[in-house]
Structure formats: C-alpha cells, structure tokens
Amino acid sequence: MKKVVVYGGLLALLLGAFLAIQLGHAPYPSVHSNSVERSSAPTTVTGSHATASFISAKLVAKPDDTHSSDNKRVPFRLDNRVRDKFELFIAEHSEKAPLTVKLAFVKSSLLTYTEETHDYAVDLFARYVDYKVALADENVEIDTVNFSLQDIRIKLDERVDIRLQFFSKNEYDYLFGQDEHTDNEALSRLAIAQADTLSRAQKKDAIIESLAVASDRDAFKPTIDIHKIKKIKQQYKDNNSRFSAISAEFGDEVAQRFVELWSEQEEWEKKIEGYRLYLAQLNNNDVSKEALHELLREYEEQHFTSNELKRVKVLVSRKDPL
C-alpha cells in the first residue's frame, strides 16, 4: 500500500477536520493548492536523494537559447510563491524521472529568468526535487487519528531535519515558514482536544476561539460561523430574538434562512411527538389489533406524506399495537 505522507499546511487541515468531527462539526475547510505537497514528485521517482543538486544550464542550452528572449526574461526572486511555482512545474512533469524534470526546468529557466539569476533558480529547484525524493524515501508518515501529540511533534521535527539538509534557513522560511506556523497552531488545537481537564463543551469553545484568530482562519470560517449561530440558538429561546442576533452578525438573509429552518424543525419535532403520543394511546385502547392498525394507518395518512412517513418509522422505534 502506498504511504500517505502528511506535510506542512496539509497537517493543519487534516487536524482541523479531525477535531471538527470529534467536536460535532462537519469539516468545512477549503483546501488551498498552496497548502498541499504531493506525496512524491515525480510519482515515478525511486532511489537515493544523493542526486546532484546543480545542473549547469550550459549543458542543455541550445546555442541561441541564452539570448533569444533577453527582453522577456525576469529576475528569479526567492519569495513565498516560489514553492507553488515549483510544485506546479513538477505536477506538469509528474510522469518523468527526477533528472528529466530537472533538465526540463533548466530549459524553462533560460527562457524565464535573467542570466544573472537563472543558475540559482536551477540549483534551488534541483534541491527541491531531491528533497521531495527524500521525503518519499523516509518514514515521515503522520496518522492524525492514532498518533499522540508527542508522536506528531517527533515526526514534524524529523521533517524539519530533512528540509534543512537541502535548504538554508532563509530558504526554509520562504518555502515552508507559513506551513510550520499553521501546523503549530493545529497542534495547539489538538492539545486542547486531548486535554483531560476540559469538558467536551469547553474543548469545543476553546478550539473555535483558536480557529477564529488562526492564520488559516478563512479555511475554517464556515465551522466558526455555524458555531456562532448554534450559540445564538441556545442563548435565545424565541425565533424573533434569534433573528435579531443572527442578523446583527450575518445579515437579514442568513438570519431568515436559519429561522425558517428552525421553525420547520420545531414543527417536525411536534409531529414526531404527536405520533409517539398517538401510539401510546392506541396501545391503551381496548380494541382489536386489526382496528388499531386501521386507526394508525388513518392517522399516518392524515398527518404525513409518504416520504415523511418513511422518516417517522426510522426515527420512532415502536412495537405493533397489541
């Protein structure tokens, strides 16, 4: 079975989804492309990560390549977008071997980056490919369900050690700094979820508060908003007050939608309770079993549609009237 390797950024999302399930929320986060590293790149890569990290552009350039588009080339800059660009290039060559991917990048860099900067671009990309190969070779798999907090921290430290074998501290900060920050925030939320001293409700509130100020809070905004709305529902018992509170936070349209939903839920719960009461009354009547079945059938046809009746019989566990 292929290993599932959890990397920076993606760990935060997986932990967020795990915590959401544990705390009674559906996992809502949107997965951003810049949060995910593929488990291996290219997918056909095998062998050691001792591949040479630098390939001279002159070895693969055609005679006219270095001057054909001088006016279009730009300086290569190390910034927070470099990793996304590297990942995109690797994805576009995902079926090729590492050396082939590196050579393809050399050709591309000659047409993209200025002569003064393309050598560094090629060198950094080559090291990034070697790093991806190393990750695929090493056991840095993280099980967010079964691993303890300490186990996860150990695996994250091992991943950092691998990265620092290929990149300087400055390069590391640009390539992985944001992921490390969001992962640390995710680990803090996991620590809350595993705290023995907190009740389930206290854990839920603490984690939601943490998500509201997290660097990746936009990814969890639906979960945060739903939690706020549930709190409003608990705080106010009548729908008029609920409408006013939700409207002040989210607007009239959202407030109207939830109030209508809650009104429908309340009506449905009343119908279910009425059904239970009627079943109890039937069981207390001194009539034949056939008559009881007929009375129940008439009640069901009068109060429920056919689809509703299917739901009722799933929700209401009953014995046949005697």
Side-chain angles (χ1 to χ4, degrees):
M1 180 179 296
K2 186 177 181 180
K3 291 194 301 182
V4 177
V5 182
V6 178
Y7 303 102
L10 181 56
L11 171 64
L13 292 174
L14 291 179
L15 285 179
F18 168 68
L19 293 174
I21 293 171
Q22 294 298 310
L23 298 177
H25 289 287
Y28 290 102
S30 301
V31 179
H32 299 292
S33 59
N34 61 358
S35 299
V36 180
E37 283 191 81
R38 291 167 180 79
S39 59
S40 60
T43 55
T44 55
V45 166
T46 57
S48 169
H49 50 79
T51 309
S53 62
F54 177 77
I55 303 173
S56 172
K58 295 180 176 61
L59 295 178
V60 296
K62 295 179 180 179
D64 296 332
D65 278 350
T66 56
H67 304 288
S68 59
S69 54
D70 286 344
N71 59 334
K72 296 180 181 179
R73 293 188 291 172
V74 297
F76 174 81
R77 301 186 187 281
L78 180 60
D79 56 32
N80 295 325
R81 297 173 296 175
V82 166
R83 181 173 155 201
D84 287 343
K85 295 176 182 177
F86 285 176
E87 286 290 340
L88 178 60
F89 192 90
I90 291 171
E92 291 172 346
H93 300 77
S94 60
E95 299 302 320
K96 299 177 181 177
L99 181 59
T100 304
V101 177
K102 293 176 184 180
L103 293 174
F105 186 84
V106 170
K107 293 181 178 180
S108 174
S109 72
L110 287 170
L111 301 176
T112 305
Y113 302 118
T114 59
E115 184 174 355
E116 296 78 15
T117 62
H118 71 74
D119 279 1
Y120 175 65
V122 167
D123 176 60
L124 184 62
F125 178 79
R127 285 185 280 127
Y128 190 79
V129 171
D130 291 341
Y131 153 72
K132 300 276 283 186
V133 175
L135 277 185
D137 289 344
E138 299 294 333
N139 180 21
V140 290
E141 181 180 354
I142 296 177
D143 184 343
T144 59
V145 176
N146 298 313
F147 273 23
S148 68
L149 187 63
Q150 182 179 3
D151 291 334
I152 293 177
R153 289 190 183 279
I154 290 172
K155 288 298 182 181
L156 291 179
D157 289 343
E158 291 175 356
R159 186 192 61 192
V160 171
D161 291 341
I162 293 174
R163 288 173 172 174
L164 291 177
Q165 293 176 23
F166 295 92
F167 308 104
S168 69
K169 183 61 172 64
N170 185 54
E171 292 169 341
Y172 178 99
D173 290 340
Y174 278 110
L175 294 172
F176 311 108
Q178 183 58 45
D179 280 353
E180 183 174 299
H181 183 63
T182 55
D183 283 348
N184 288 334
E185 290 178 334
L187 288 177
S188 297
R189 296 193 288 270
L190 184 60
I192 295 172
Q194 294 181 352
D196 296 332
T197 57
L198 299 177
S199 67
R200 184 181 180 88
Q202 288 173 328
K203 290 178 182 180
K204 183 184 295 185
D205 290 341
I207 288 174
I208 292 296
E209 289 176 7
S210 173
L211 290 174
V213 297
S215 58
D216 54 348
R217 58 186 173 274
D218 289 345
F220 297 96
K221 189 176 186 303
T223 297
I224 296 169
D225 290 347
I226 288 294
H227 183 76
K228 290 180 180 177
I229 290 172
K230 285 183 177 180
K231 283 288 189 181
I232 290 172
K233 183 183 180 183
Q234 295 170 358
Q235 183 177 358
Y236 301 100
K237 300 305 179 185
D238 65 283
N239 282 338
N240 287 335
S241 298
R242 292 169 176 172
F243 180 91
S244 298
I246 296 174
S247 179
E249 181 80 20
F250 301 101
D252 288 353
E253 184 178 347
V254 174
Q256 184 64 36
R257 187 163 64 248
F258 274 93
V259 167
E260 289 177 356
L261 174 64
W262 291 335
S263 296
E264 292 173 0
Q265 288 175 341
E266 289 170 1
E267 288 299 318
W268 175 249
E269 289 168 2
K270 289 178 182 178
K271 292 176 73 171
I272 294 296
E273 184 60 27
Y275 187 75
R276 288 193 176 101
L277 291 173
Y278 190 72
L279 284 174
Q281 293 173 4
L282 288 181
N283 281 312
N284 291 329
N285 286 343
D286 188 17
V287 295
S288 67
K289 186 174 182 178
E290 290 75 13
L292 290 179
H293 278 293
E294 182 61 25
L295 288 170
L296 180 60
R297 185 188 63 79
E298 291 177 357
Y299 181 91
E300 291 174 346
E301 290 180 351
Q302 181 180 355
H303 292 85
F304 301 101
T305 67
S306 58
N307 286 333
E308 287 178 338
L309 193 56
K310 293 176 183 177
R311 294 174 59 195
V312 169
K313 291 183 177 180
V314 171
L315 293 172
V316 180
S317 176
R318 67 174 178 84
K319 295 180 180 179
D320 288 337
L322 299 178

